Amino acid sequence: MYALDVVDLKKTYGTRVEALKGISLTVEEGDFFALLGPNGAGKSTLIGIAASLVRPSSGDIKVFGKSVVTERSAAVAHIGLVPQEFNFNQFEKPFEILVNQAGYYGVPRELAKTRAEQYLKQLSLWDKRDVASRTLSGGMKRRLMIARAMMHTPKLLILDEPTAGVDIEIRRSMWTYLKDINRAGTTVILTTHYLEEAESLCRNIAIIDHGMIVKNTTVKALLGTLDRETFVFDLSQPLAVAPDLPDCLVHRVDDTTIEVDVPRGTELNGLFAILSAAGIGVRSMRNKANRLEELFVRLLEKPKDAA
Amino acid sequence: MSAAVRWVPFKTIVIKEINRILRIWGQTLVPPAITMTLYFLIFGQLVGSRIGEMGGHRYMDFIVPGLVMMSVIQNAYANVVSSFFGSKFGRYVEELLVSPTPNWVILAGYVSGGVLRGCMVGGIVLIVSLLFTDLSIAHPLVMLASVILAAVLFALAGFVNAVYAKKFDDISIIPTFILTPLTYLGGVFYSVSLLPEFWRNVSLANPILYTVNAFRFGVLGESDVPVGTAFAIMLVSILVLGAYCLRLLDKGVGLRA
Ligand SMILES: Nc1ncnc2c1ncn2[C@@H]1O[C@H](COP(=O)(O)OP(=O)(O)OP(=O)(O)O)[C@@H](O)[C@H]1O
Ligand SMILES: [Mg+2]
């Protein structure tokens, strides 16, 4: 059984905005799944339909076999949702928010209080349990929403840009947290604009653009399709013309910087030897961009080029 | 679905509503107490002493049930409309909408919150009235039943208002332009038997007239309209309005895109 089974899902807002144009995809139980796409691609709409906040124009989503359209309660009971926008009562206290949320899922109050303590501690919010939640920082609010989503111990956790506006340290600790709960058996789906995040967390990935799936594969396979890599070299002396390197595209950015487009599997030692022989010293070297980022840009460019 | 899935969320919504009423008591409990005290003072004491009798009772005694009922209605309505609209506006209604809580439980929870606020304020006003008169209650059960039915009815009305409301103005329009006039014309301050026949008949179309008179019968043992009719009208209105609210929720009007 799939944790999520999206069947030919379409959504048109009003009469004109076609947010989803017929999406089908499946997420295996236990998976860590990334949903990627540019702003306005339809990610939040897809998630909204899964959580029953948005009604599909046609098609269906099944959550562990239950249809959100015809068996709403049974379907959403499995989902824990961390939405993109803050949607808790800013005047309530984190502890209250968590206990109430659990109550909506039928978790008895005493158990809910125990769990609220557990999750607030895990997400380093215990100190803040009794302050008005509007006084939390942005990163704390995100963590509060993660804690809230965990209160009924869902089998499927869906996070819509959970790390937006979160500092690096907290982001890393969120990653560890999410990896842990995934390892413990919870299926996790997340959207993100940080491709590094998808690369380091997720096994499978769907890229969506203009309401359609552009690519749906494993992160590994996707990275495997990369045939070139771009490095940026900082040179020790100024250079007038770009040097010639076999099989590589060299682009001179400025006097002391070149970009080298290298086929996959090329021995970099060879390149350095050529540069040394030509009297060019390399002071430092880095990847031009995250590898996935490049692929992402290429994938999204294709349909536009064709058009 | 297990019973817990219905009972626990219901209890949760009610606790949340009670906490809200108590957290902002300066807005929920105090203002009606002050307004009603002024009504007792001005209409009951000052003006009332010159009016003499109304419907066979001291004017003060006559208006006490009307003013209590008016507080119950206004506060049951106000609680649901502002709490539910607030949850839409602040988006935290989504906490409920994404949960398995069935729509009728959501409705029952908010309506109960409204009924509780109505009863709390009604109780406060009743206690305040004891400063001005000593009431003996003719039919306590009738009194209680009429309060609860009226509170349920107007809590439901407040819910409809909240579902359709898009901005804060929308939650004050109906209370200002419909609820308050209907209350004043609903026999709170006068017996409709004083009116010419035409206006008396028009008054009979006003639902508040029945709630006020049912309650007045509970306290004074007298009413402008048959008490059975009053209860029947309240019950039928509750069923109709309740069904309408559920339909709005099922269709997701103003809630699910
Ligand atoms: N409630 C709504 N009413 C009308 N149009 C909407 C609504 N919600 C989203 N849309 C439109 O649907 C399209 C998809 O939006 P959606 O929020 O799903 O994108 P997204 O992939 O989540 O983008 P982002 O990365 O910016 O969060 C956009 O064109 C958006 O303007
Ligand atoms: Mg989005």
Side-chain angles (χ1 to χ4, degrees), chain B residues 28-146:
Chain B
T28 50
L29 303 176
V30 175
I34 293 177
T35 319
M36 292 304 151
T37 308
L38 289 172
Y39 276 124
F40 286 138
L41 267 175
I42 296 167
F43 291 105
Q45 294 282 90
L46 299 176
V47 182
S49 58
R50 311 209 165 188
I51 292 179
E53 290 207 335
M54 174 74 71
H57 294 274
R58 271 177 60 214
Y59 189 60
M60 174 62 103
D61 293 350
F62 181 84
I63 63 169
V64 166
L67 289 175
V68 172
M69 189 48 102
M70 180 167 149
S71 325
V72 170
I73 288 173
Q74 286 179 345
N75 284 281
Y77 189 98
N79 201 67
V80 179
V81 79
S82 52
S83 177
F84 196 66
F85 177 72
S87 76
K88 264 174 49 172
F89 189 80
R91 299 189 62 165
Y92 47 89
V93 69
E94 290 177 5
E95 293 178 336
L96 262 171
L97 297 180
V98 301
S99 80
T101 309
N103 287 333
W104 66 267
V105 173
I106 297 180
L107 183 63
Y110 274 92
V111 167
S112 304
V115 171
L116 285 170
R117 159 107 167 259
C119 290
M120 284 184 211
V121 173
I124 292 173
V125 174
L126 201 61
I127 290 168
V128 170
S129 78
L130 295 178
L131 298 174
F132 300 95
T133 180
D134 35 24
L135 282 177
S136 57
I137 292 166
H139 309 287
L141 284 180
V142 174
M143 181 183 104
L144 203 62
S146 65

Side-chain angles (χ1 to χ4, degrees), chain A residues 43-44 84 160-161:
Chain A
K43 305 177 297 293
S44 296
Q84 186 172 3
D160 199 349
E161 296 188 32

Side-chain angles (χ1 to χ4, degrees), chain A residues 60-261:
Chain A
D60 195 1
I61 296 186
K62 293 204 174 79
V63 186
F64 290 97
K66 306 283 184 196
S67 154
V68 279
V69 176
T70 56
E71 305 157 279
R72 195 197 77 86
S73 289
V76 298
H78 295 304
I79 300 180
L81 176 69
V82 180
Q84 186 172 3
E85 320 247 349
F86 302 129
N87 69 343
F88 44 83
N89 186 340
Q90 306 270 331
F91 295 97
E92 279 179 355
K93 299 164 182 167
F95 194 79
E96 269 182 279
I97 290 173
L98 296 196
V99 171
N100 287 340
Q101 185 69 52
Y104 300 152
Y105 287 84
V107 178
R109 219 163 170 81
E110 283 314 307
L111 177 59
K113 286 180 178 167
T114 318
R115 279 192 197 161
E117 178 173 347
Q118 177 195 338
Y119 290 117
L120 285 172
K121 284 183 174 160
Q122 279 179 11
L123 288 150
S124 325
L125 288 169
W126 183 240
D127 293 348
K128 299 284 182 183
R129 64 188 176 278
D130 276 335
V131 304
S133 57
R134 89 190 109 87
T135 65
L136 300 181
S137 76
M140 292 174 188
K141 287 177 180 167
R142 293 250 163 246
R143 279 179 281 149
L144 174 60
M145 295 206 296
I146 296 181
R148 185 182 64 178
M150 294 300 296
M151 286 298 292
H152 60 291
T153 56
K155 285 158 76 180
L156 170 62
L157 183 65
I158 304 182
L159 308 101
D160 199 349
E161 296 188 32
T163 55
V166 170
D167 75 35
I168 297 167
E169 195 186 339
I170 304 278
R171 185 180 307 161
R172 299 273 160 165
S173 75
M174 270 192 196
W175 289 2
T176 313
Y177 183 74
L178 292 176
K179 274 183 187 159
D180 286 347
I181 58 174
N182 177 247
R183 208 169 295 129
T186 310
T187 311
V188 182
I189 299 176
L190 66 78
T191 76
T192 178
H193 290 289
Y194 303 107
L195 297 168
E196 185 200 353
E197 187 162 289
E199 189 176 342
S200 73
L201 289 176
C202 302
R203 270 187 292 282
N204 289 294
I205 194 168
I207 296 180
I208 131 171
D209 189 24
H210 294 103
M212 286 181 298
I213 304 253
V214 183
K215 196 102 196 171
N216 183 4
T217 176
T218 65
V219 172
K220 227 177 179 172
L222 192 63
L223 290 171
T225 62
L226 262 182
D227 49 358
R228 304 186 81 84
E229 221 168 338
T230 306
F231 294 102
V232 182
F233 291 173
D234 290 320
L235 309 177
S236 29
Q237 298 97 25
L239 202 65
V241 275
D244 229 359
L245 294 173
D247 299 326
C248 299
L249 293 170
V250 184
H251 167 64
R252 184 175 162 279
V253 181
D254 60 36
D255 283 355
T256 57
T257 316
I258 53 170
E259 278 179 16
V260 185
D261 205 14

